[in-house]
Amino acid sequence: MQLLILLILLISVTDACCSNFNLPALPPREQYGTILIDRTSSANGQQPVTFSHWLHRTKFTCRVCHGELDFQMKRNATEITERANRSGKFCGACHNGKIAFRHNGNCDKCHNGDIGYSDKRFDDFILKNALPMTIAGNGVNWATGFTAGAIKPETYLKKKSQDMNFEKELLLEAELSIIPPAIFPHKAHAAWLDCDNCHPDLFNIKKKGTHFSMTEILNGNYCGVCHISVAFPMDECKRCHPAMRE
Ligand code: HEC
Ligand code: HEC
Ligand code: HEC
Ligand code: HEC
Ligand code: HEC
Ligand code: HEC
């Protein structure tokens, strides 16, 4: 009897491993990570605002916006206002005519409701740069692209973060040993992010033994805060589970 239960368990687990999870549908690669912001725009007679992560991350690491400039990693969550932009906060920290086009008078460049606004620049960007490619998301391997110097995003605007030099690679063991463990490389993340982008809000290291299940991740928690919308998507199993068969 016990053997039978074990057998059924094993079969269902192998099934879970190799049949597909319910992965969210991916947009065309030039639109992965592109969002329309509409917390207040439509309500104030303006078109929603287009914002493309791929374009901005070629120029700045995540920490610049999600650390220094206080943008939340959640669409429509930040209280961005016209007034704040004008006074040099949020988008206005760069869209000031010095780092990027002026905020004033270029309303339609942002308020156009067009999620495909930057599409035409994407192919150019791919053609002009010798980029390592990958299978999903933007199709660009942002991790090796950065370390190899194919892209050179700025790591700060005004406030440099302290270099913590924490490069520990963690092995996140599955609850059942037949599932190849996931890896978590601190180095690849610290290149783009500050420690406090993840600790303690997303990952509380005082709580030992948290299991980051695929279901939680696909619901947008833990790794899924970034790896279903901006960083390479969940479709690329082997980048997190290196020992997994295709
Ligand atoms: C130039 C600024 C900028 C940079 C650089 C940037 N982001 Fe964002 N990000 C934003 C803005 C603005 C939003 C929307 C916030 C809002 O609407 O409240 C956002 C939203 C997000 C979201 C939520 C997306 C969604 O679909 O809801 C995630 C996740 C995210 N960013 C992760 C990242 C990661 C990871 C990086 C680095 C690879 C990064 N961001 C780089 C400005 C930036
Ligand atoms: C660099 C991008 C950018 C430019 C350029 C820009 N805006 Fe905005 N604007 C935003 C963002 C982002 C928001 C927040 C939108 C939201 O959450 O719906 C916003 C919000 C607004 C709002 C909503 C209400 C409020 O007071 O915050 C109005 C109205 C507005 N902008 C008008 C304008 C006008 C008029 C121009 C041109 C003179 C302009 N914007 C140029 C990015 C921009
Ligand atoms: C950290 C600096 C920075 C911040 C913050 C920033 N941008 Fe930009 N943005 C840039 C730069 C640099 C460019 C590229 C300018 C160029 O090459 O035309 C750019 C380009 C753009 C473009 C033009 C895309 C195209 O296809 O031509 C849009 C639209 C845009 N940003 C919207 C926004 C919005 C909306 C926000 C705030 C939610 C924002 N940006 C915040 C630096 C920034
Ligand atoms: C962004 C990283 C990441 C990607 C991509 C990823 N996983 Fe996972 N996966 C994890 C983490 C973290 C865990 C939890 C720790 C563990 O069990 O190894 C996990 C756990 C699992 C488990 C164990 C059951 C569970 O939910 O805990 C299975 C099965 C699994 N992943 C399969 C896959 C498959 C199949 C793919 C590709 C479709 C995939 N994973 C893509 C990070 C990832
Ligand atoms: C992208 C998210 C992310 C970033 C950024 C990040 N960490 Fe982590 N960190 C994690 C995860 C995930 C774990 C594993 C947590 C667990 O097992 O509960 C972890 C675990 C740790 C641990 C415990 C290590 C162990 O052996 O268990 C330490 C210490 C730590 N991080 C320090 C740092 C420092 C210092 C930085 C900045 C240089 C940093 N982290 C940046 C996600 C991150
Ligand atoms: C706050 C955002 C964020 C969170 C949370 C996060 N990552 Fe990442 N991760 C990134 C970014 C950004 C990169 C750079 C590559 C990219 O953007 O595609 C990256 C890269 C990686 C890489 C390197 C891949 C390579 O080819 O070198 C692995 C592996 C990885 N993440 C696994 C995980 C796992 C597992 C978790 C959860 C335990 C996690 N990440 C949580 C943002 C995040």
Side-chain angles (χ1 to χ4, degrees), residues 72-120:
Q72 314 242 349
M73 281 193 185
K74 192 164 190 268
R75 193 181 322 194
N76 298 331
T78 319
E79 289 183 31
I80 313 165
T81 60
E82 164 71 357
R83 182 199 287 257
N85 278 337
R86 282 194 188 208
S87 68
K89 296 201 180 90
F90 298 122
C91 317
C94 299
H95 287 280
N96 54 12
K98 295 189 189 105
I99 300 174
F101 63 81
R102 283 168 58 228
H103 169 266
N104 221 345
N106 283 307
C107 318
D108 292 352
K109 286 194 175 178
C110 294
H111 290 281
N112 51 45
D114 180 5
I115 192 125
Y117 186 72
S118 301
D119 283 7
K120 41 194 182 312

Side-chain angles (χ1 to χ4, degrees), residues 13 16-21 23 172-175 179-182 211-215 217 223 227 232-241 244:
V13 163
C17 155
C18 307
S19 69
N20 285 334
F21 284 93
L23 303 177
L172 307 174
E173 297 283 357
E175 283 176 326
I179 308 292
H211 182 63
F212 316 121
S213 71
M214 288 289 287
T215 313
I217 295 173
C223 323
H227 285 282
F232 69 83
M234 296 306 288
D235 309 64
E236 299 192 32
C237 318
K238 273 178 83 71
R239 288 177 80 180
C240 289
H241 301 277
M244 196 173 272

Side-chain angles (χ1 to χ4, degrees), residues 57 143 172 183-185 189 192 222-223 226-227 231-232 239-240:
R57 74 180 297 184
L172 307 174
I183 51 164
F184 180 84
H189 289 92
W192 295 93
Y222 304 124
C223 323
C226 301
H227 285 282
F232 69 83
R239 288 177 80 180
C240 289

Side-chain angles (χ1 to χ4, degrees), residues 25-240:
L26 293 172
R29 64 178 191 169
E30 60 274 23
Q31 282 169 25
Y32 183 73
T34 303
I35 53 179
L36 288 178
I37 305 173
D38 195 12
R39 191 181 62 90
T40 56
S41 295
S42 305
N44 286 279
Q46 294 285 333
Q47 291 287 329
V49 172
T50 185
F51 178 84
S52 55
H53 270 96
W54 78 261
L55 177 71
H56 285 89
R57 74 180 297 184
T58 63
K59 300 173 191 295
F60 305 93
T61 59
C62 326
R63 69 163 300 279
V64 172
C65 291
H66 294 292
E68 274 187 82
L69 298 179
D70 282 331
F71 285 110
Q72 314 242 349
M73 281 193 185
K74 192 164 190 268
R75 193 181 322 194
N76 298 331
T78 319
E79 289 183 31
I80 313 165
T81 60
E82 164 71 357
R83 182 199 287 257
N85 278 337
R86 282 194 188 208
S87 68
K89 296 201 180 90
F90 298 122
C91 317
C94 299
H95 287 280
N96 54 12
K98 295 189 189 105
I99 300 174
F101 63 81
R102 283 168 58 228
H103 169 266
N104 221 345
N106 283 307
C107 318
D108 292 352
K109 286 194 175 178
C110 294
H111 290 281
N112 51 45
D114 180 5
I115 192 125
Y117 186 72
S118 301
D119 283 7
K120 41 194 182 312
R121 293 179 71 168
F122 187 80
D123 287 339
D124 258 12
F125 161 71
I126 300 284
L127 284 174
K128 284 196 191 119
N129 298 278
L131 293 156
M133 302 305 284
T134 178
I135 52 165
N138 294 122
V140 174
N141 189 325
W142 296 106
T144 48
F146 192 1
T147 41
I151 49 163
K152 298 186 182 64
E154 304 283 346
T155 55
Y156 69 99
L157 219 50
K158 291 194 179 121
K159 204 171 89 219
K160 205 168 185 275
S161 63
Q162 273 185 314
D163 220 340
M164 298 278 289
N165 257 335
F166 188 75
E167 304 194 342
K168 189 166 181 185
E169 178 162 313
L170 306 176
L171 212 55
L172 307 174
E173 297 283 357
E175 283 176 326
L176 278 153
S177 57
I178 57 162
I179 308 292
I183 51 164
F184 180 84
H186 268 91
K187 191 177 180 185
H189 289 92
W192 295 93
L193 295 150
D194 280 347
C195 317
D196 65 7
N197 283 126
C198 289
H199 300 303
D201 288 1
L202 305 186
F203 301 101
N204 186 342
I205 50 182
K206 284 191 191 141
K207 256 201 307 199
K208 291 268 177 232
T210 313
H211 182 63
F212 316 121
S213 71
M214 288 289 287
T215 313
E216 285 283 346
I217 295 173
L218 288 167
N219 278 334
N221 299 314
Y222 304 124
C223 323
V225 170
C226 301
H227 285 282
I228 54 177
S229 51
V230 176
F232 69 83
M234 296 306 288
D235 309 64
E236 299 192 32
C237 318
K238 273 178 83 71
R239 288 177 80 180
C240 289

